[in-house]
Amino acid sequence: MATIALQKLKESIRYTFPALLLCLVLDFVGGTFLGVNYSEIAKNFPIILVILPGLMDLRGNVFGTLASRLTTKLNLGIIKGLKDRELKREVLRAIFSSKIPLIILWIIGVLHTDNLKTAVAALLVVILSALVIGIILGYSAALITVVPYSRGFDPDRIAAPLITSISDIVTIPTLIFFLKLYLANRQIFYLLFFFTLGILMWMGIKSGNIIERSFTEIAGILTLLALIESFAGSLLEQYSSAIGKMVLLAVLYPSILDSLGNMGSVIVARLSTRYHLEGEEGVKSKDTFLEILAMLLMSVPLIVIANVMAILIVELTMHVHSNLVAPLILGYPLIALAVMIIGATLVLVAPRIHLDPDNLGVPLITTIADVLGTIFVVALALH
């Protein structure tokens, strides 16, 4: 048992830890943008803070799920390569399935902030950023899964973390860019809006029917999760002043949420593929326990590295002195463990309610990670 556990830990350190570490580093791109622009967004576009957790999670949910589905279809032989027509359909399904929950997030934000004028501007910005990001992330997910698989590597170990982190890299900077573009030059903004929409409509017509059970299933799940995410957004907006005073947490916020979701997504993606290949017994095997244990051990150095990187960023870019946050380092592994256990449970529960674990598991576990992570950050800010 000890030898097997050591082997699992070595495999995780060799394959998964570098991916998680890379994702952590990439997350600070979004975190830095958020930290620098946090006060301005809170003042001029408070609705963005309400929908931001849901917006970030929606991207990760949609394209993390896409990566998981592509890996499963590669293993089953349904998709053969990057030029496969089914792959193109899957990318378009991912892009369009997120629009209903996106509108719901916006409506919740309008009701919470009660400022219709800035809300309309925010909606246009969010939709344009969603369309642009969707194209980037859709084909990124295809590359991250198909290329490693063609070379004999298991994409489940890296695909979900990488695509959610790429999502966070482009989501916040792109959102801020289009907010500033809208304010600076609306003619160019509207030109980009209709041009991007036209490209996607042309791709949809060329690829054929993209509406099937998986599309409606994913859209329904994402809509439900958007409602759950609104709770995290309300918390973030409600305690924005407390978080703004502790700028270290504003910089860390995307990394905390994303890394928790990444660890849960890795567990869900691997167990979902195992379920499709081996059934329920494969999920209940001791390998699952060992993989969760290995990921738990990795969570400690990850959060320490994240804390140190955040300190360097706030001191270099904002000239604010910060220190290691002991409650963050002690509490993070416990939340990570809870997220992974819940993720493993979701893979077992999904088939019993007639849902594909690929479609339910990754979106729901990242949403749960976002809610728990937001509560954690708020608690730290109030500590």
Side-chain angles (χ1 to χ4, degrees), residues 25 96 101 119 165 206 225 238 256 278 303 313 354:
V25 174
F96 288 114
S165 291
K206 187 177 179 181
L225 298 185
Q238 183 177 350
I256 291 174
E278 303 175 27
I303 195 60
I313 288 171
H354 308 293

Side-chain angles (χ1 to χ4, degrees), residues 96 196-206:
F96 288 114
T196 307
L197 185 61
I199 287 177
L200 286 171
M201 290 178 66
W202 175 77
M203 290 172 64
I205 294 171
K206 187 177 179 181

Side-chain angles (χ1 to χ4, degrees), residues 232-245:
S234 297
L235 274 179
L236 184 64
E237 194 275 334
Q238 183 177 350
Y239 294 99
S240 60
S241 59
I243 296 173
K245 291 176 182 177

Side-chain angles (χ1 to χ4, degrees), residues 17 20-21 23-24 27-28 165 249 252-265 295-307 325-340 369-370 372-374 376-377 380:
F17 185 74
L20 291 174
L21 185 59
C23 293
L24 188 69
D27 285 336
F28 278 102
S165 291
L249 290 179
L252 273 167
Y253 181 72
S255 297
I256 291 174
L257 267 60
D258 199 45
S259 57
L260 288 171
N262 283 343
M263 285 189 281
S265 295
M295 297 284 286
L296 176 62
L297 293 175
M298 287 190 291
S299 69
V300 178
L302 275 176
I303 195 60
V304 173
I305 293 171
N307 200 160
V325 183
L328 168 67
I329 296 171
L330 295 174
Y332 179 87
L334 297 177
I335 297 178
L337 177 61
V339 168
M340 289 185 287
D370 278 2
L372 292 179
T374 300
F376 184 44
V377 169
L380 291 172

Side-chain angles (χ1 to χ4, degrees), residues 120-129 174-175 177-196:
V120 172
L123 175 63
L124 294 173
V125 168
V126 166
I127 290 177
L128 178 56
S129 67
T174 303
L175 191 62
F177 170 78
F178 283 124
L179 276 172
K180 293 182 180 294
L181 179 63
Y182 179 85
L183 295 173
N185 194 322
R186 295 188 185 181
Q187 288 183 332
I188 295 178
F189 176 89
Y190 286 123
L191 181 64
L192 285 174
F193 185 96
F194 289 109
F195 177 73
T196 307

Side-chain angles (χ1 to χ4, degrees), residues 345-362:
T345 304
L346 289 175
V347 176
L348 293 172
V349 170
R352 298 180 182 180
I353 56 175
H354 308 293
L355 291 174
D356 188 332
D358 281 324
N359 292 340
L360 177 69
V362 173

Side-chain angles (χ1 to χ4, degrees), residues 8-292:
K8 286 289 180 184
L9 180 59
K10 286 181 178 179
E11 288 179 0
S12 294
I13 292 174
R14 182 181 178 185
Y15 297 112
T16 309
F17 185 74
L20 291 174
L21 185 59
L22 175 61
C23 293
L24 188 69
V25 174
L26 296 177
D27 285 336
F28 278 102
V29 175
T32 302
F33 270 86
L34 181 61
V36 171
N37 295 278
Y38 191 89
S39 297
E40 182 182 354
I41 295 172
K43 179 182 178 181
N44 299 319
F45 292 96
I47 188 174
I48 295 295
L49 293 180
V50 178
I51 67 177
L52 184 60
L55 196 61
M56 291 169 57
D57 191 54
L58 189 58
R59 301 289 179 275
N61 283 344
V62 170
F63 297 100
T65 300
L66 172 63
S68 183
R69 281 204 316 277
L70 291 179
T71 301
T72 298
K73 290 192 173 185
L74 284 165
N75 278 291
L76 295 175
I78 299 174
I79 290 177
K80 305 293 185 182
L82 288 172
K83 296 182 179 180
D84 196 300
R85 193 170 186 177
E86 179 60 21
L87 184 144
K88 295 177 182 177
R89 288 196 186 107
E90 285 288 357
V91 170
L92 289 172
R93 286 174 193 135
I95 294 173
F96 288 114
S97 65
S98 64
K99 298 305 169 276
I100 295 175
L102 188 65
I103 297 298
I104 290 176
L105 281 172
W106 177 78
I107 292 172
I108 293 171
V110 172
L111 295 175
H112 191 84
T113 59
D114 195 27
N115 190 332
L116 188 59
K117 184 177 180 180
T118 59
V120 172
L123 175 63
L124 294 173
V125 168
V126 166
I127 290 177
L128 178 56
S129 67
L131 294 175
V132 172
I133 292 167
I135 296 172
I136 296 171
L137 293 181
Y139 286 96
S140 295
L143 287 170
I144 290 171
T145 52
V146 175
V147 173
Y149 183 83
S150 66
R151 299 182 180 180
F153 186 79
D154 183 4
D156 278 333
R157 289 186 177 274
I158 61 169
L162 283 179
I163 197 62
T164 52
S165 291
I166 294 171
S167 169
D168 284 346
I169 287 176
V170 297
T171 294
I172 296 176
T174 303
L175 191 62
I176 292 172
F177 170 78
F178 283 124
L179 276 172
K180 293 182 180 294
L181 179 63
Y182 179 85
L183 295 173
N185 194 322
R186 295 188 185 181
Q187 288 183 332
I188 295 178
F189 176 89
Y190 286 123
L191 181 64
L192 285 174
F193 185 96
F194 289 109
F195 177 73
T196 307
L197 185 61
I199 287 177
L200 286 171
M201 290 178 66
W202 175 77
M203 290 172 64
I205 294 171
K206 187 177 179 181
S207 298
N209 183 32
I210 64 170
I211 306 296
E212 62 168 28
R213 185 190 170 200
S214 64
F215 177 89
T216 55
E217 188 174 286
I218 295 165
I221 291 171
L222 292 176
T223 300
L224 175 62
L225 298 185
L227 296 174
I228 299 174
E229 279 287 358
S230 66
F231 171 74
S234 297
L235 274 179
L236 184 64
E237 194 275 334
Q238 183 177 350
Y239 294 99
S240 60
S241 59
I243 296 173
K245 291 176 182 177
M246 194 172 179
V247 69
L248 182 73
L249 290 179
V251 172
L252 273 167
Y253 181 72
S255 297
I256 291 174
L257 267 60
D258 199 45
S259 57
L260 288 171
N262 283 343
M263 285 189 281
S265 295
V266 169
I267 294 298
V268 169
R270 286 185 59 76
L271 296 186
S272 179
T273 299
R274 190 177 298 166
Y275 174 83
H276 283 292
L277 297 176
E278 303 175 27
E280 191 171 294
E281 291 305 313
V283 178
K284 293 181 177 179
S285 67
K286 63 182 179 181
D287 286 347
T288 297
F289 168 77
L290 294 175
E291 287 182 6
I292 291 176

